[in-house]
Coordinates of all heavy atoms in Angstrom, one line a residue:
A1 N 4.4 0.9 -3.1 CA 3.9 0.1 -2.0 C 5.1 -0.5 -1.2 O 5.0 -0.6 0.0 CB 3.1 -1.1 -2.6
V2 N 6.2 -0.8 -1.9 CA 7.4 -1.2 -1.1 C 7.8 -0.2 -0.2 O 8.1 -0.4 1.0 CB 8.5 -1.7 -2.1 CG1 9.8 -2.1 -1.3 CG2 8.1 -2.9 -3.0
G3 N 7.9 1.1 -0.7 CA 8.4 2.2 0.2 C 7.4 2.4 1.3 O 7.8 2.6 2.5
L4 N 6.1 2.3 1.1 CA 5.1 2.5 2.1 C 5.3 1.4 3.2 O 5.3 1.7 4.4 CB 3.7 2.4 1.5 CG 2.5 2.4 2.5 CD1 2.5 3.7 3.2 CD2 1.2 2.2 1.7
A5 N 5.4 0.2 2.8 CA 5.5 -0.9 3.7 C 6.8 -0.8 4.6 O 6.8 -1.0 5.8 CB 5.5 -2.3 3.0
V6 N 7.9 -0.5 3.9 CA 9.2 -0.5 4.6 C 9.2 0.7 5.6 O 9.7 0.5 6.7 CB 10.3 -0.3 3.5 CG1 11.6 0.1 4.2 CG2 10.5 -1.6 2.7
S7 N 8.6 1.8 5.2 CA 8.6 2.9 6.1 C 7.6 2.7 7.3 O 7.9 3.1 8.4 CB 8.2 4.2 5.4 OG 6.9 4.2 4.9
L8 N 6.5 2.0 7.1 CA 5.5 1.8 8.1 C 6.0 0.7 9.1 O 5.7 0.8 10.3 CB 4.2 1.4 7.6 CG 3.4 2.5 6.9 CD1 2.1 1.9 6.3 CD2 3.2 3.7 7.8
C9 N 6.8 -0.3 8.7 CA 7.2 -1.3 9.6 C 8.7 -1.1 10.0 O 9.2 -1.9 10.8 CB 7.0 -2.7 9.0 SG 8.1 -3.2 7.7
R10 N 9.3 -0.1 9.4 CA 10.7 0.2 9.7 C 11.6 -1.0 9.5 O 12.4 -1.4 10.4 CB 10.9 0.9 11.0 CG 10.1 2.1 11.2 CD 10.3 2.8 12.5 NE 10.1 1.9 13.6 CZ 9.9 2.3 14.8 NH1 9.8 3.6 15.1 NH2 9.7 1.5 15.8
A11 N 11.5 -1.6 8.3 CA 12.2 -2.8 8.0 C 13.7 -2.6 8.1 O 14.2 -1.5 7.7 CB 11.9 -3.3 6.6
R12 N 14.4 -3.5 8.7 CA 15.9 -3.4 8.8 C 16.6 -3.6 7.5 O 17.6 -2.9 7.2 CB 16.4 -4.6 9.7 CG 15.8 -4.5 11.1 CD 16.3 -5.7 12.0 NE 15.5 -5.9 13.1 CZ 15.5 -5.1 14.2 NH1 16.2 -4.1 14.3 NH2 14.7 -5.5 15.2
T13 N 16.1 -4.5 6.6 CA 16.7 -4.6 5.3 C 15.5 -4.9 4.4 O 14.4 -5.2 4.8 CB 17.6 -5.8 5.2 OG1 16.9 -7.0 5.6 CG2 18.8 -5.6 6.1
I14 N 15.8 -4.8 3.1 CA 14.7 -5.1 2.1 C 15.3 -6.2 1.2 O 16.0 -5.9 0.2 CB 14.4 -3.9 1.2 CG1 14.1 -2.7 2.1 CG2 13.2 -4.1 0.3 CD1 14.0 -1.4 1.4
P15 N 15.0 -7.5 1.5 CA 15.6 -8.6 0.7 C 14.8 -8.7 -0.7 O 13.7 -8.1 -0.8 CB 15.3 -9.8 1.5 CG 14.2 -9.4 2.5 CD 14.3 -7.9 2.7
D16 N 15.4 -9.3 -1.6 CA 14.8 -9.5 -2.9 C 13.5 -10.2 -2.8 O 12.6 -9.9 -3.6 CB 15.7 -10.4 -3.8 CG 17.0 -9.7 -4.2 OD1 17.1 -8.5 -4.1 OD2 18.0 -10.4 -4.6
E17 N 13.3 -11.0 -1.8 CA 12.0 -11.7 -1.7 C 10.8 -10.7 -1.5 O 9.7 -11.0 -1.9 CB 12.0 -12.7 -0.5 CG 12.9 -13.9 -0.7 CD 14.4 -13.6 -0.5 OE1 14.7 -12.5 0.1 OE2 15.2 -14.5 -0.8
M18 N 11.1 -9.6 -0.9 CA 10.1 -8.5 -0.7 C 9.6 -8.0 -2.1 O 8.4 -7.7 -2.3 CB 10.5 -7.4 0.2 CG 10.5 -7.9 1.7 SD 11.0 -6.6 2.8 CE 9.4 -5.8 3.0
F19 N 10.6 -7.8 -3.0 CA 10.2 -7.3 -4.3 C 9.5 -8.4 -5.1 O 8.5 -8.0 -5.8 CB 11.5 -6.9 -5.1 CG 12.1 -5.6 -4.5 CD1 13.2 -5.7 -3.7 CD2 11.6 -4.4 -4.7 CE1 13.8 -4.6 -3.1 CE2 12.1 -3.2 -4.2 CZ 13.2 -3.3 -3.4
Y20 N 9.8 -9.6 -4.9 CA 9.1 -10.7 -5.6 C 7.7 -10.7 -5.0 O 6.7 -10.8 -5.8 CB 9.8 -12.0 -5.3 CG 8.9 -13.2 -5.8 CD1 8.8 -13.5 -7.1 CD2 8.2 -14.0 -4.9 CE1 8.0 -14.6 -7.6 CE2 7.4 -15.0 -5.3 CZ 7.3 -15.3 -6.6 OH 6.5 -16.3 -7.1
L21 N 7.5 -10.6 -3.7 CA 6.2 -10.6 -3.1 C 5.4 -9.4 -3.6 O 4.2 -9.6 -3.8 CB 6.3 -10.6 -1.6 CG 5.0 -10.7 -0.8 CD1 4.2 -11.9 -1.1 CD2 5.3 -10.6 0.7
A22 N 6.0 -8.3 -3.7 CA 5.3 -7.1 -4.2 C 4.8 -7.3 -5.6 O 3.6 -7.1 -5.9 CB 6.2 -5.9 -4.1
A23 N 5.6 -7.9 -6.5 CA 5.2 -8.2 -7.9 C 4.1 -9.2 -7.9 O 3.1 -9.0 -8.7 CB 6.4 -8.6 -8.7
K24 N 4.2 -10.2 -7.1 CA 3.2 -11.3 -7.1 C 1.9 -10.7 -6.6 O 0.8 -11.0 -7.2 CB 3.7 -12.4 -6.2 CG 2.8 -13.6 -6.1 CD 3.4 -14.7 -5.2 CE 2.4 -15.9 -5.2 NZ 1.8 -16.0 -3.9
T25 N 1.9 -9.9 -5.6 CA 0.7 -9.3 -5.1 C 0.1 -8.4 -6.1 O -1.2 -8.3 -6.3 CB 1.0 -8.6 -3.8 OG1 1.6 -9.5 -2.8 CG2 -0.3 -8.0 -3.1
L26 N 0.9 -7.6 -6.8 CA 0.4 -6.7 -7.9 C -0.3 -7.5 -8.9 O -1.4 -7.1 -9.3 CB 1.6 -5.9 -8.5 CG 1.2 -5.0 -9.6 CD1 0.3 -3.9 -9.2 CD2 2.5 -4.5 -10.3
V27 N 0.3 -8.6 -9.4 CA -0.3 -9.4 -10.5 C -1.6 -10.0 -10.0 O -2.6 -10.1 -10.8 CB 0.6 -10.5 -11.0 CG1 0.0 -11.5 -11.9 CG2 1.8 -9.8 -11.7
E28 N -1.7 -10.4 -8.7 CA -2.9 -11.0 -8.2 C -4.1 -10.0 -8.2 O -5.3 -10.4 -8.1 CB -2.7 -11.5 -6.8 CG -1.8 -12.8 -6.8 CD -1.3 -13.2 -5.4 OE1 -1.6 -12.4 -4.4 OE2 -0.7 -14.2 -5.3
Q29 N -3.8 -8.7 -8.3 CA -4.9 -7.7 -8.2 C -5.5 -7.4 -9.6 O -6.5 -6.7 -9.7 CB -4.3 -6.4 -7.6 CG -3.7 -6.5 -6.3 CD -4.6 -7.2 -5.3 OE1 -5.7 -6.7 -5.1 NE2 -4.1 -8.2 -4.6
V30 N -5.0 -8.0 -10.6 CA -5.5 -7.8 -12.0 C -6.7 -8.8 -12.1 O -6.5 -10.0 -12.0 CB -4.5 -8.1 -13.1 CG1 -5.1 -7.9 -14.5 CG2 -3.3 -7.2 -12.9
P31 N -7.9 -8.3 -12.3 CA -9.0 -9.2 -12.5 C -8.8 -10.1 -13.7 O -8.2 -9.7 -14.7 CB -10.2 -8.3 -12.7 CG -9.8 -7.0 -12.1 CD -8.3 -6.9 -12.3
E32 N -9.2 -11.4 -13.6 CA -9.1 -12.4 -14.6 C -9.6 -11.9 -16.0 O -8.9 -12.1 -17.0 CB -9.8 -13.7 -14.2 CG -9.6 -14.8 -15.3 CD -8.2 -15.3 -15.4 OE1 -7.4 -15.2 -14.4 OE2 -7.9 -15.7 -16.5
E33 N -10.7 -11.2 -16.0 CA -11.3 -10.7 -17.3 C -10.3 -9.7 -17.9 O -10.1 -9.8 -19.1 CB -12.6 -10.1 -17.0 CG -13.3 -9.5 -18.2 CD -14.6 -8.8 -17.9 OE1 -15.5 -9.5 -17.4 OE2 -14.8 -7.7 -18.2
Q34 N -9.8 -8.8 -17.1 CA -8.9 -7.8 -17.7 C -7.6 -8.5 -18.3 O -7.1 -8.1 -19.3 CB -8.5 -6.8 -16.6 CG -9.5 -5.8 -16.3 CD -9.0 -4.7 -15.4 OE1 -7.9 -4.8 -14.9 NE2 -9.8 -3.7 -15.1
L35 N -7.1 -9.5 -17.6 CA -5.9 -10.2 -18.0 C -6.2 -11.0 -19.3 O -5.5 -10.9 -20.3 CB -5.4 -11.0 -16.9 CG -4.1 -11.8 -17.1 CD1 -3.0 -10.8 -17.4 CD2 -3.8 -12.7 -16.0
R36 N -7.2 -11.8 -19.2 CA -7.5 -12.8 -20.3 C -8.1 -12.1 -21.5 O -7.6 -12.3 -22.6 CB -8.5 -13.8 -19.8 CG -8.6 -15.0 -20.7 CD -9.4 -16.2 -20.0 NE -10.5 -15.7 -19.2 CZ -11.8 -15.4 -19.6 NH1 -12.0 -15.5 -20.9 NH2 -12.7 -15.1 -18.8
I37 N -9.1 -11.2 -21.4 CA -9.8 -10.7 -22.5 C -9.1 -9.4 -23.0 O -8.9 -9.2 -24.2 CB -11.2 -10.4 -22.2 CG1 -12.0 -11.7 -21.8 CG2 -11.9 -9.6 -23.3 CD1 -13.4 -11.5 -21.3
M38 N -8.7 -8.5 -22.1 CA -8.2 -7.2 -22.6 C -6.6 -7.2 -22.6 O -6.0 -6.3 -23.1 CB -8.7 -6.1 -21.6 CG -10.2 -5.9 -21.7 SD -10.7 -4.5 -20.7 CE -11.7 -5.4 -19.6
G39 N -6.0 -8.2 -22.0 CA -4.6 -8.3 -22.0 C -3.9 -7.3 -21.0 O -2.7 -7.1 -21.2
H40 N -4.6 -6.8 -20.1 CA -4.0 -5.8 -19.1 C -3.0 -6.6 -18.2 O -3.4 -7.6 -17.6 CB -5.0 -5.1 -18.3 CG -5.9 -4.2 -19.1 ND1 -6.9 -3.5 -18.5 CD2 -5.9 -3.9 -20.4 CE1 -7.5 -2.7 -19.4 NE2 -6.9 -3.0 -20.6
L41 N -1.8 -6.1 -18.0 CA -0.9 -6.7 -17.1 C -0.9 -6.1 -15.7 O -0.4 -6.7 -14.7 CB 0.5 -6.6 -17.7 CG 0.7 -7.3 -19.0 CD1 2.2 -7.0 -19.5 CD2 0.5 -8.8 -18.9
F42 N -1.5 -4.9 -15.6 CA -1.5 -4.2 -14.3 C -2.9 -3.8 -14.0 O -3.8 -3.6 -14.9 CB -0.7 -2.9 -14.4 CG 0.8 -3.2 -14.7 CD1 1.3 -3.0 -15.9 CD2 1.6 -3.6 -13.7 CE1 2.6 -3.2 -16.2 CE2 3.0 -3.9 -13.9 CZ 3.5 -3.7 -15.2
P43 N -3.2 -3.6 -12.7 CA -4.6 -3.1 -12.3 C -4.8 -1.7 -12.9 O -3.9 -1.0 -13.2 CB -4.5 -3.1 -10.8 CG -3.3 -3.9 -10.4 CD -2.4 -3.9 -11.5
S44 N -6.1 -1.4 -12.9 CA -6.4 0.0 -13.4 C -5.9 1.1 -12.5 O -5.7 0.8 -11.2 CB -7.9 0.1 -13.6 OG -8.5 0.1 -12.3
L45 N -5.6 2.2 -13.0 CA -5.1 3.3 -12.2 C -6.1 3.7 -11.1 O -5.7 4.1 -10.0 CB -4.8 4.5 -13.0 CG -3.5 4.4 -13.8 CD1 -3.3 5.7 -14.7 CD2 -2.3 4.3 -12.9
S46 N -7.4 3.6 -11.4 CA -8.4 3.9 -10.4 C -8.4 3.0 -9.1 O -8.9 3.4 -8.1 CB -9.8 3.9 -11.0 OG -10.1 2.6 -11.4
S47 N -7.8 1.9 -9.2 CA -7.7 1.0 -8.1 C -6.3 1.0 -7.4 O -6.1 0.2 -6.5 CB -8.0 -0.5 -8.5 OG -7.1 -1.0 -9.4
M48 N -5.4 1.8 -7.9 CA -4.0 1.8 -7.4 C -3.9 2.0 -5.9 O -3.0 1.4 -5.3 CB -3.2 2.8 -8.1 CG -2.4 2.3 -9.3 SD -1.5 0.8 -8.9 CE -1.9 0.0 -10.4
R49 N -4.7 2.8 -5.3 CA -4.6 3.1 -3.9 C -4.9 1.8 -3.1 O -4.1 1.4 -2.2 CB -5.6 4.2 -3.5 CG -5.5 4.5 -2.0 CD -6.4 5.7 -1.6 NE -6.2 6.0 -0.3 CZ -5.3 6.9 0.2 NH1 -4.5 7.4 -0.6 NH2 -5.2 7.1 1.5
K50 N -5.9 1.1 -3.5 CA -6.3 -0.2 -2.8 C -5.2 -1.2 -3.1 O -4.8 -2.0 -2.2 CB -7.7 -0.7 -3.2 CG -8.8 0.1 -2.6 CD -8.9 -0.3 -1.1 CE -10.0 0.5 -0.4 NZ -9.8 0.5 1.0
V51 N -4.7 -1.3 -4.3 CA -3.7 -2.2 -4.7 C -2.4 -2.0 -3.8 O -1.8 -2.9 -3.3 CB -3.4 -2.2 -6.2 CG1 -2.2 -2.9 -6.5 CG2 -4.6 -2.7 -7.0
S52 N -2.0 -0.7 -3.7 CA -0.9 -0.3 -3.0 C -1.0 -0.7 -1.5 O -0.1 -1.2 -0.8 CB -0.6 1.1 -3.1 OG -0.2 1.5 -4.4
E53 N -2.2 -0.5 -0.9 CA -2.5 -0.8 0.4 C -2.4 -2.4 0.6 O -1.8 -2.8 1.6 CB -3.8 -0.3 0.9 CG -3.8 1.2 1.1 CD -5.2 1.7 1.4 OE1 -6.2 1.0 1.4 OE2 -5.3 3.0 1.6
R54 N -2.9 -3.1 -0.3 CA -2.9 -4.6 -0.2 C -1.4 -5.1 -0.2 O -1.0 -6.0 0.5 CB -3.7 -5.3 -1.3 CG -5.2 -5.2 -1.0 CD -6.0 -5.9 -2.1 NE -7.4 -5.6 -2.0 CZ -8.0 -5.0 -3.0 NH1 -7.5 -4.7 -4.1 NH2 -9.3 -4.7 -2.8
M55 N -0.7 -4.5 -1.2 CA 0.7 -4.9 -1.3 C 1.5 -4.5 0.0 O 2.3 -5.3 0.5 CB 1.4 -4.1 -2.5 CG 0.9 -4.6 -3.8 SD 1.4 -3.6 -5.2 CE 3.1 -3.8 -5.2
A56 N 1.2 -3.4 0.6 CA 1.9 -2.9 1.8 C 1.6 -3.9 2.9 O 2.5 -4.3 3.7 CB 1.6 -1.5 2.1
V57 N 0.4 -4.3 3.0 CA -0.1 -5.2 4.1 C 0.7 -6.6 4.0 O 1.3 -7.1 4.9 CB -1.6 -5.5 4.1 CG1 -2.0 -6.7 4.9 CG2 -2.3 -4.3 4.5
K58 N 0.8 -7.1 2.7 CA 1.5 -8.4 2.5 C 3.0 -8.2 2.9 O 3.6 -9.1 3.5 CB 1.4 -8.8 1.1 CG 0.0 -9.2 0.6 CD -0.2 -10.7 1.0 CE -1.5 -11.1 0.3 NZ -1.9 -12.4 0.7
L59 N 3.6 -7.1 2.5 CA 5.0 -6.9 2.8 C 5.3 -6.7 4.2 O 6.3 -7.2 4.8 CB 5.5 -5.7 2.0 CG 5.5 -5.9 0.4 CD1 5.7 -4.6 -0.3 CD2 6.5 -6.9 0.1
I60 N 4.4 -6.0 4.9 CA 4.5 -5.8 6.4 C 4.4 -7.2 7.1 O 5.2 -7.5 8.0 CB 3.5 -4.8 7.0 CG1 3.9 -3.4 6.5 CG2 3.5 -4.8 8.5 CD1 2.9 -2.3 6.7
E61 N 3.4 -8.0 6.7 CA 3.3 -9.3 7.3 C 4.5 -10.1 7.0 O 5.0 -10.8 7.9 CB 2.0 -10.0 6.6 CG 0.7 -9.4 7.1 CD -0.5 -10.0 6.3 OE1 -0.3 -10.6 5.3 OE2 -1.6 -9.7 6.8
Y62 N 5.1 -10.1 5.8 CA 6.3 -10.8 5.5 C 7.5 -10.3 6.4 O 8.2 -11.1 7.0 CB 6.7 -10.6 4.1 CG 8.0 -11.2 3.7 CD1 8.1 -12.6 3.3 CD2 9.2 -10.5 3.7 CE1 9.3 -13.2 2.9 CE2 10.4 -11.1 3.4 CZ 10.4 -12.4 3.0 OH 11.6 -13.0 2.6
A63 N 7.6 -9.0 6.6 CA 8.7 -8.4 7.4 C 8.5 -8.8 8.8 O 9.6 -9.1 9.5 CB 8.7 -6.9 7.2
I64 N 7.3 -8.9 9.3 CA 7.1 -9.3 10.7 C 7.5 -10.8 10.9 O 8.2 -11.2 11.8 CB 5.7 -9.0 11.1 CG1 5.4 -7.5 11.3 CG2 5.3 -9.8 12.5 CD1 3.9 -7.1 11.5
E65 N 7.0 -11.6 9.9 CA 7.3 -13.0 10.0 C 8.8 -13.3 9.9 O 9.3 -14.2 10.6 CB 6.6 -13.7 8.8 CG 6.9 -15.2 8.7 CD 6.3 -15.8 7.4 OE1 5.3 -15.3 6.9 OE2 6.9 -16.7 6.9
K66 N 9.5 -12.6 9.1 CA 11.0 -12.8 8.9 C 11.8 -12.0 9.9 O 13.0 -12.0 9.8 CB 11.4 -12.5 7.5 CG 10.7 -13.3 6.4 CD 11.1 -14.8 6.6 CE 10.4 -15.6 5.5 NZ 10.7 -17.0 5.6
K67 N 11.1 -11.3 10.8 CA 11.8 -10.5 11.9 C 12.7 -9.4 11.3 O 13.7 -9.1 11.8 CB 12.6 -11.4 12.8 CG 11.7 -12.5 13.5 CD 12.4 -13.1 14.7 CE 11.6 -14.2 15.4 NZ 10.2 -14.3 15.2
L68 N 12.2 -8.8 10.2 CA 12.8 -7.7 9.6 C 12.3 -6.4 10.1 O 12.9 -5.4 10.0 CB 12.7 -7.8 8.1 CG 13.2 -9.0 7.4 CD1 12.8 -9.0 5.9 CD2 14.7 -9.1 7.5
A69 N 11.1 -6.4 10.6 CA 10.4 -5.2 11.1 C 10.8 -4.8 12.4 O 11.1 -5.7 13.3 CB 8.9 -5.4 11.1
R70 N 10.9 -3.5 12.6 CA 11.2 -3.0 14.0 C 9.9 -2.5 14.5 O 9.4 -1.4 14.2 CB 12.3 -1.9 13.9 CG 13.6 -2.4 13.6 CD 14.6 -1.3 13.5 NE 14.6 -0.8 12.2 CZ 15.3 0.3 11.8 NH1 16.1 0.9 12.6 NH2 15.2 0.7 10.6
L71 N 9.3 -3.3 15.4 CA 7.9 -3.0 15.8 C 7.8 -2.1 17.0 O 6.7 -1.5 17.2 CB 7.2 -4.4 16.1 CG 7.1 -5.3 15.0 CD1 6.5 -6.7 15.4 CD2 6.3 -4.8 13.8
E72 N 8.9 -1.9 17.7 CA 8.8 -1.1 18.9 C 8.4 0.3 18.6 O 9.0 0.9 17.7 CB 10.1 -1.1 19.7 CG 11.4 -0.7 18.9 CD 12.0 -1.8 18.1 OE1 11.6 -3.0 18.2 OE2 12.8 -1.4 17.2
G73 N 7.4 0.8 19.2 CA 6.9 2.2 19.0 C 6.0 2.3 17.8 O 5.5 3.4 17.6
L74 N 5.6 1.3 17.1 CA 4.7 1.4 16.0 C 3.3 1.5 16.4 O 2.5 2.0 15.6 CB 4.9 0.2 15.0 CG 6.1 0.1 14.2 CD1 6.1 -1.0 13.2 CD2 6.4 1.4 13.4
E75 N 2.9 1.1 17.6 CA 1.6 1.1 18.1 C 0.6 0.3 17.2 O -0.6 0.7 17.0 CB 1.1 2.6 18.2 CG 2.0 3.4 19.2 CD 1.5 4.8 19.3 OE1 0.8 5.3 18.4 OE2 1.9 5.5 20.3
L76 N 1.0 -0.8 16.7 CA 0.2 -1.7 15.9 C -1.0 -2.1 16.7 O -2.1 -2.4 16.2 CB 0.9 -2.9 15.4 CG 1.7 -2.7 14.1 CD1 2.6 -4.0 13.9 CD2 0.9 -2.4 13.0
E77 N -0.9 -2.3 18.0 CA -1.9 -2.8 18.9 C -3.1 -1.8 18.9 O -4.2 -2.2 19.3 CB -1.4 -3.1 20.3 CG -1.0 -1.9 21.1 CD 0.5 -1.4 20.8 OE1 1.2 -2.1 20.1 OE2 0.9 -0.4 21.3
R78 N -2.9 -0.6 18.5 CA -4.1 0.4 18.5 C -5.0 0.1 17.4 O -6.1 0.6 17.3 CB -3.5 1.8 18.3 CG -2.8 2.4 19.5 CD -2.3 3.8 19.3 NE -3.3 4.6 18.5 CZ -3.0 5.6 17.8 NH1 -1.7 6.0 17.7 NH2 -3.9 6.3 17.1
Y79 N -4.6 -0.8 16.4 CA -5.4 -1.1 15.3 C -5.9 -2.5 15.3 O -5.2 -3.4 15.8 CB -4.6 -0.8 14.0 CG -4.2 0.6 13.9 CD1 -2.9 1.0 14.4 CD2 -5.0 1.6 13.3 CE1 -2.5 2.3 14.3 CE2 -4.6 2.9 13.3 CZ -3.3 3.3 13.8 OH -2.9 4.6 13.7
A80 N -7.1 -2.8 14.8 CA -7.6 -4.1 14.7 C -6.9 -5.0 13.8 O -7.0 -6.2 13.9 CB -9.1 -4.0 14.4
S81 N -6.2 -4.4 12.8 CA -5.5 -5.2 11.8 C -4.4 -4.4 11.2 O -4.4 -3.2 11.3 CB -6.5 -5.7 10.7 OG -7.0 -4.6 10.0
I82 N -3.5 -5.1 10.5 CA -2.5 -4.4 9.7 C -3.1 -3.6 8.6 O -2.6 -2.5 8.3 CB -1.5 -5.5 9.2 CG1 -0.7 -6.1 10.4 CG2 -0.5 -4.8 8.2 CD1 0.2 -7.2 10.0
E83 N -4.2 -4.1 8.0 CA -4.9 -3.3 7.0 C -5.3 -1.9 7.5 O -5.1 -0.9 6.8 CB -6.2 -4.1 6.5 CG -5.9 -5.3 5.7 CD -5.7 -6.6 6.6 OE1 -5.8 -6.5 7.8 OE2 -5.5 -7.6 6.0
Q84 N -5.9 -1.9 8.7 CA -6.3 -0.6 9.3 C -5.1 0.2 9.6 O -5.2 1.5 9.4 CB -7.1 -0.9 10.5 CG -8.5 -1.3 10.3 CD -9.4 -1.5 11.5 OE1 -8.9 -1.3 12.6 NE2 -10.6 -1.8 11.3
Y85 N -4.0 -0.4 10.1 CA -2.8 0.4 10.3 C -2.3 1.0 9.0 O -1.9 2.2 9.0 CB -1.7 -0.6 10.9 CG -0.4 0.1 11.1 CD1 -0.2 1.0 12.1 CD2 0.7 -0.3 10.3 CE1 1.1 1.6 12.2 CE2 2.0 0.2 10.5 CZ 2.2 1.2 11.4 OH 3.4 1.8 11.6
V86 N -2.3 0.3 7.9 CA -1.8 0.8 6.7 C -2.7 1.9 6.2 O -2.3 3.0 5.8 CB -1.7 -0.3 5.6 CG1 -1.4 0.3 4.2 CG2 -0.5 -1.3 6.0
Q87 N -4.0 1.7 6.2 CA -5.0 2.7 5.8 C -4.9 4.0 6.6 O -4.9 5.1 6.1 CB -6.4 2.2 5.9 CG -6.7 1.1 4.8 CD -8.0 0.4 5.0 OE1 -8.7 0.6 6.1 NE2 -8.4 -0.4 4.1
A88 N -4.7 3.9 7.9 CA -4.6 5.0 8.8 C -3.3 5.8 8.5 O -3.2 7.0 8.8 CB -4.7 4.6 10.2
N89 N -2.3 5.2 8.0 CA -1.0 5.8 7.8 C -0.6 6.1 6.4 O 0.5 6.4 6.0 CB 0.1 5.0 8.5 CG 0.0 5.1 10.0 OD1 0.4 6.1 10.6 ND2 -0.6 4.0 10.6
T90 N -1.6 6.0 5.5 CA -1.4 6.2 4.1 C -1.8 7.7 3.8 O -2.9 8.1 4.2 CB -2.2 5.3 3.2 OG1 -1.8 4.0 3.5 CG2 -2.0 5.6 1.7
Y91 N -0.9 8.4 3.1 CA -1.2 9.8 2.8 C -2.3 9.9 1.9 O -2.4 9.2 0.9 CB 0.1 10.4 2.2 CG -0.1 11.9 1.8 CD1 -0.1 12.9 2.8 CD2 -0.3 12.2 0.5 CE1 -0.4 14.2 2.4 CE2 -0.5 13.6 0.1 CZ -0.5 14.5 1.1 OH -0.7 15.8 0.7
T92 N -3.2 10.9 2.1 CA -4.3 11.2 1.3 C -4.2 12.7 0.9 O -4.2 13.5 1.8 CB -5.7 10.9 1.9 OG1 -5.7 9.5 2.3 CG2 -6.8 11.2 1.0
A93 N -4.1 13.0 -0.3 CA -4.0 14.4 -0.8 C -5.5 15.0 -0.8 O -6.4 14.4 -1.4 CB -3.5 14.5 -2.2
R94 N -5.7 16.0 0.0 CA -7.0 16.7 0.0 C -6.7 18.1 -0.3 O -6.0 18.8 0.4 CB -7.6 16.5 1.4 CG -8.0 15.1 1.7 CD -9.2 15.1 2.7 NE -9.7 13.7 2.7 CZ -9.3 12.8 3.5 NH1 -8.3 13.0 4.3 NH2 -9.9 11.6 3.5
Y95 N -7.3 18.6 -1.3 CA -7.1 20.0 -1.7 C -8.4 20.8 -1.5 O -9.5 20.3 -1.8 CB -6.8 20.0 -3.2 CG -5.6 19.2 -3.6 CD1 -5.7 18.0 -4.1 CD2 -4.3 19.8 -3.4 CE1 -4.5 17.2 -4.4 CE2 -3.2 19.1 -3.7 CZ -3.3 17.8 -4.2 OH -2.1 17.1 -4.5
S96 N -8.2 22.0 -1.0 CA -9.4 22.9 -0.8 C -9.5 23.7 -2.1 O -8.6 23.9 -2.8 CB -9.2 23.8 0.4 OG -8.0 24.5 0.2
R97 N -10.7 24.1 -2.3 CA -11.0 24.8 -3.5 C -10.4 26.2 -3.4 O -10.7 26.9 -2.4 CB -12.5 24.9 -3.8 CG -12.9 25.5 -5.1 CD -14.4 25.2 -5.3 NE -14.9 26.1 -6.4 CZ -14.7 25.8 -7.7 NH1 -14.1 24.7 -8.0 NH2 -15.2 26.6 -8.6
V98 N -9.7 26.7 -4.4 CA -9.1 28.0 -4.4 C -9.7 28.7 -5.6 O -9.7 28.2 -6.7 CB -7.6 27.9 -4.5 CG1 -7.0 29.3 -4.5 CG2 -7.0 27.1 -3.3
G99 N -10.1 29.9 -5.3 CA -10.7 30.7 -6.5 C -10.8 32.1 -6.0 O -10.6 32.5 -4.9
W100 N -11.2 32.9 -7.0 CA -11.4 34.3 -6.7 C -12.9 34.6 -6.8 O -13.7 34.0 -7.6 CB -10.7 35.2 -7.8 CG -9.3 35.2 -7.7 CD1 -8.5 36.0 -6.9 CD2 -8.4 34.3 -8.3 NE1 -7.2 35.7 -7.0 CE2 -7.1 34.6 -7.9 CE3 -8.5 33.2 -9.2 CZ2 -5.9 33.9 -8.3 CZ3 -7.4 32.5 -9.6 CH2 -6.1 32.9 -9.1
D101 N -13.3 35.6 -6.0 CA -14.7 36.0 -6.0 C -14.9 36.9 -7.2 O -14.0 37.6 -7.7 CB -15.1 36.9 -4.8 CG -15.1 36.0 -3.5 OD1 -15.4 34.8 -3.7 OD2 -14.9 36.5 -2.4
E102 N -16.1 36.9 -7.7 CA -16.4 37.7 -8.9 C -16.2 39.2 -8.7 O -15.9 39.9 -9.6 CB -17.9 37.5 -9.3 CG -18.2 36.0 -9.7 CD -18.0 35.8 -11.1 OE1 -18.2 36.7 -12.0 OE2 -17.7 34.6 -11.5
D103 N -16.3 39.6 -7.4 CA -16.2 41.1 -7.1 C -14.8 41.6 -7.0 O -14.6 42.8 -7.0 CB -16.9 41.3 -5.7 CG -18.4 41.0 -5.8 OD1 -19.0 41.0 -6.9 OD2 -18.9 40.7 -4.7
E104 N -13.9 40.7 -6.9 CA -12.5 41.2 -6.8 C -11.8 41.5 -8.1 O -12.0 41.0 -9.1 CB -11.7 40.1 -6.0 CG -12.1 40.0 -4.6 CD -11.3 39.0 -3.8 OE1 -10.1 38.8 -4.1 OE2 -11.8 38.4 -2.9

């Protein structure tokens, strides 16, 4: 998520505070039940995409606030929110089905 955020906002530097914010945001994504009852320290793998997007949004907001982001040319105004900007620019692996016909 740190790499995603830094590349999307073209941050000038990556201060330690960004790593702290990333860790804090990660921990906030663990549901209370999973933490308290099951002892999970991290969100489930099935939710990692959403967790990474939330982390990237928080980090981009921080970079903008601290004037670390290079916003020129990012076209953020094309999106209704930073969340939509992150979602639109997050890679999604899509694989087509490959196989052989029975006749071959």
